[in-house]
Amino acid sequence: MNEALILIVIAIISYLIGSISMSRIVTRIIAPETDLDDVDFPSSSGDRYRLRTISATTASIKLGPKIGGIITVLDALKAIIPVLILRFVFPDQYYFLFAAVFIVIGHNWSLYHHFTGGAGLSTSYGVFFTVDFFGTLISAFSGMLIGFLVFKDMMVAFVSGPILMLLWLIVFKGDWPHILFGIAINIIIFLKMLPDILKLSKSEKDYKEDISRIMDQTGMGRGMKKLMQWM
């Protein structure tokens, strides 16, 4: 099998795996009557923002942060397992990085659900852990500090981690496959989160004042708060 065909097969399989919506599966098992397509993000001002993603965050708002936390872990494992398999089967190739990108694409634009999905953060951190575990911890924690302590903005905290991970890959990996991988993941996340970022920024004051409560409503937000308290 030639190189191009191998990459095509990996891309298709990875995209199909990424398209599996853990949020929908878990919700259907626990609360089949819940509609994840109709989820609003609340603020203290009374305004509500319709989220355009179907993810652990939307499930947290509907079903509670514990369920959101479970989905976050499943979304990460969905990426970790196939990427690790490729890394061990083909240790001298960068197939695992290629697969990681298409898993996140599938997660964000699911083939099984009319190309709707999550924002890709949990899945992205899953693949980051397989690439550089220590670098992921440093990037995620640094992103939280920048977002919550400096900017007091949850969206900044969420997007800062992947950006810092890209910088980590540039400095400590230094090869083009890892750098292009980091760039691709950041572009995918930014494209999917941009509509919600623009929508929430219109009520920036209320949003920032409500950041702690908003974090408590999401599995990732609660995890970040616990990690910051532990650190």
Side-chain angles (χ1 to χ4, degrees), residues 41-209:
F41 210 68
S43 76
S44 58
S45 67
D47 295 329
R48 306 188 71 85
Y49 313 97
R50 178 65 53 85
L51 292 176
R52 300 189 182 188
T53 57
I54 306 296
S55 63
T57 297
T58 50
S60 294
I61 294 172
K62 283 284 191 175
L63 303 175
K66 290 184 178 180
I67 301 302
I70 293 173
I71 294 171
T72 297
V73 172
L74 292 175
D75 280 338
L77 289 174
K78 176 178 69 176
I80 290 172
I81 294 173
V83 171
L84 278 180
I85 290 174
L86 281 175
R87 187 168 188 179
F88 285 117
V89 173
F90 301 100
D92 300 323
Q93 302 290 337
Y94 290 108
Y95 296 150
F96 69 100
L97 297 178
F98 192 72
V101 171
F102 278 90
I103 289 173
V104 179
I105 292 174
H107 177 82
N108 286 7
W109 294 281
S110 173
L111 177 67
Y112 312 129
H113 302 285
H114 308 290
F115 301 103
T116 61
L121 286 169
S122 302
T123 308
S124 295
Y125 275 111
V127 298
F128 285 156
F129 275 121
T130 66
V131 173
D132 192 315
F133 183 82
F134 185 68
T136 303
L137 290 179
I138 295 296
S139 301
F141 183 68
S142 299
M144 285 187 281
L145 292 179
I146 292 172
F148 296 141
L149 299 184
V150 179
F151 291 95
K152 301 185 185 303
D153 190 303
M154 186 176 69
M155 285 295 184
V156 172
F158 282 175
V159 300
S160 293
I163 293 173
L164 292 174
M165 186 62 186
L166 170 59
L167 297 177
W168 181 279
L169 294 174
I170 292 173
V171 173
F172 292 100
K173 294 294 184 182
D175 56 20
W176 279 111
H178 282 94
I179 294 172
L180 292 175
F181 156 75
I183 292 173
I185 295 296
N186 273 274
I187 291 174
I188 294 166
I189 292 173
F190 180 77
L191 288 176
K192 194 58 186 288
M193 293 187 68
L194 183 60
D196 287 332
I197 292 173
L198 294 176
K199 189 180 296 185
L200 290 170
S201 67
K202 293 179 181 179
S203 298
E204 184 177 2
K205 180 176 181 293
D206 291 322
Y207 174 63
K208 288 187 176 181
E209 289 177 350

Side-chain angles (χ1 to χ4, degrees), residues 23-39 58-59 61-64 67:
S23 301
R24 291 179 173 91
I25 292 173
V26 172
T27 300
R28 186 171 298 175
I29 293 173
I30 296 176
E33 73 285 354
T34 300
D35 182 11
L36 293 182
D37 292 303
D38 182 21
V39 178
T58 50
I61 294 172
K62 283 284 191 175
L63 303 175
I67 301 302

